Amino acid sequence: MVRLICALATVAAFGLPTQAVAQTSTQSTTTTPRGSSTAKPKLTVRKKKPTYSAAASTARRSKVARARAAAALALKEAEEPKFKLNDAGALIPDVRAEAAIIYNPENGQILYETNSQGTRSIASITKIMTAAVFFENAPDLSKEIVVDRTDVRAASTTYLRAGYKLSLYDVVHLMLIASDNAAARVLSHSSTLGGSEAFIARMNSKALELGLTSTHYSDPSGLLAANVSSAYDMARLITYVASDDRISSIMRKQYHSVTVGRQTITVHSTNQLVMKGDVDVLGGKTGFISKAGYCLATLLRLPQGGPQVAVVVLGAHSNAGRFWETRHLFNWLSSKASDIFATPVQAATPAAATSSN
């Protein structure tokens, strides 16, 4: 301000233009605000590409090769049948699953067992009872239903979507062949029992009627770990359900196609014994959730028209493992069949491993 006054005084004294002096004064008083800084350009740092190393590349390939070899060895060891001596000194299968049984439906005899009476989560083997209850009242399989949002919500494995319209015939096929969880829910609320709660109550009363004392159901799909049973109970149940050809004929199918609108959905059986086709499967169902492990309940016929046996494996450690263990038990029984049944039979061949429920 003092400078401005002095400048004006100079104008008056020497006759300079006032506007020019004012501009000069304004420019001279412009200062940078305290705390501010002049922006600096950002520097772009380019990362140097790693130099190719033949030695490092060879080391990586060797590591991958070792991992594959180890996996192949573990797979081969898992497929190798193991045996142990029982209390009588006889050689019997050493099953690596948590529970297993070979059951003779003709006389109720247990031909082999390990932890067969223990209560365990059974996952989608639950659907065997779902089918039994659904077919009790001779349902009209041609009836069409519309899938509800509650059916598909958190259903895990399902080929259905809310709003799909399809027949009960297709729904039951999806449940038993592809282990579709939403399909099991659809059947439970589409039955004549009056809703899912009444359906589950009937599943439990049916279990009591059949003398399945270790069995309890909390949902129709098997997604809940609270669905529990024993290998012994499941051997008896698969025997009972497979006697109904309406159900067993579906469980024996390898594929099924469903048309929904303009879309066609084709599913395959989760049961690799059915898919391979070298064992006579009369009925069967797979199951898996983390609490239950990999499960399989089957009713099989020994070769050459031999007798029926129920083979159940619960809590196997891999998808392929449940099929290997079932074949191991089946082959062992086949070798003993001439003594047990007075019927010579041949052993089954190993199964190919694929992923399923």
Side-chain angles (χ1 to χ4, degrees):
M1 188 65 179
V2 174
R3 290 181 181 180
L4 181 60
I5 294 173
C6 292
L8 293 174
T10 303
V11 170
F14 297 96
L16 294 174
T18 306
Q19 183 179 1
V21 174
Q23 289 177 352
T24 304
S25 175
T26 302
Q27 291 174 2
S28 65
T29 57
T30 301
T31 59
T32 302
R34 183 176 296 177
S36 66
S37 61
T38 304
K40 296 181 180 180
K42 293 183 179 180
L43 297 177
T44 302
V45 180
R46 293 183 178 180
K47 294 182 179 179
K48 187 178 180 181
K49 293 183 179 180
T51 305
Y52 172 78
S53 169
S57 178
T58 301
R60 284 193 295 271
R61 288 198 298 269
S62 298
K63 184 177 180 181
V64 171
R66 287 194 299 271
R68 288 176 178 172
L73 179 60
L75 188 62
K76 183 178 180 181
E77 290 178 349
E79 290 178 325
E80 289 291 330
K82 293 184 181 295
F83 294 90
K84 63 183 179 180
L85 295 175
N86 64 9
D87 294 338
L91 206 61
I92 63 172
D94 185 8
V95 173
R96 282 154 284 188
E98 297 298 325
I101 192 172
I102 304 175
Y103 174 80
N104 184 352
E106 186 176 346
N107 55 18
Q109 182 183 5
I110 297 175
L111 305 176
Y112 171 92
E113 72 88 27
T114 178
N115 300 325
S116 67
Q117 304 290 341
T119 301
R120 295 183 49 80
S121 181
I122 56 172
S124 283
I125 295 180
T126 293
K127 295 181 175 79
I128 301 173
M129 181 62 87
T130 302
V133 171
F134 177 73
F135 277 98
E136 273 189 325
N137 298 315
D140 178 8
L141 296 183
S142 66
K143 178 183 177 182
E144 290 193 328
I145 55 88
V146 177
V147 178
D148 190 76
R149 290 182 182 276
T150 57
D151 297 324
V152 298
R153 185 178 299 130
S156 184
T157 299
T158 184
Y159 294 87
L160 299 177
R161 298 290 182 271
Y164 276 10
K165 186 176 182 180
L166 68 167
S167 68
L168 289 175
Y169 174 85
D170 285 330
V171 175
V172 74
H173 276 69
L174 287 174
M175 182 185 76
L176 290 175
I177 295 174
S179 200
D180 192 302
N181 294 316
R185 294 173 177 173
V186 170
L187 294 181
S188 70
H189 69 65
S190 299
S191 75
T192 58
L193 294 173
S196 294
E197 289 188 7
F199 190 93
I200 296 167
R202 178 54 190 151
M203 290 171 69
N204 285 309
S205 64
K206 182 79 171 179
L208 292 176
E209 289 174 12
L210 296 174
L212 309 180
T213 56
S214 298
T215 303
H216 179 78
Y217 300 102
S218 295
D219 85 285
S221 70
L223 278 173
L224 297 183
N227 289 353
V228 296
S229 187
S230 64
Y232 176 70
D233 277 8
M234 289 298 96
R236 296 175 62 205
L237 180 60
I238 190 62
T239 299
Y240 170 81
V241 173
S243 66
D244 187 337
D245 191 61
R246 295 174 301 173
I247 302 173
S248 61
S249 63
I250 299 173
M251 292 192 286
R252 293 194 299 267
K253 290 184 178 181
Q254 293 179 321
Y255 298 96
H256 182 71
S257 293
V258 179
T259 300
V260 182
R262 297 181 179 179
Q263 180 183 8
T264 298
I265 304 168
T266 299
V267 299
H268 67 81
S269 175
T270 59
N271 187 343
Q272 288 305 304
L273 300 183
V274 170
M275 293 301 294
K276 192 168 180 65
D278 62 331
V279 177
D280 190 358
V281 179
L282 304 178
K285 185 69 194 71
T286 61
F288 171 78
I289 57 173
S290 57
K291 183 72 173 178
Y294 293 87
C295 306
L296 177 65
T298 54
L299 182 67
L300 309 175
R301 185 182 296 281
L302 295 176
Q304 302 168 350
Q308 300 177 13
V309 290
V311 182
V312 177
V313 171
L314 301 180
H317 302 300
S318 69
N319 170 52
R322 55 183 161 188
F323 302 113
W324 294 331
E325 299 289 19
T326 298
R327 286 176 177 273
H328 182 25
L329 293 170
F330 184 76
N331 289 340
W332 171 80
L333 181 65
S334 298
S335 68
K336 300 286 185 182
S338 56
D339 298 328
I340 298 174
F341 303 105
T343 303
V345 295
Q346 297 176 347
T349 56
T354 60
S355 177
S356 65
N357 288 330

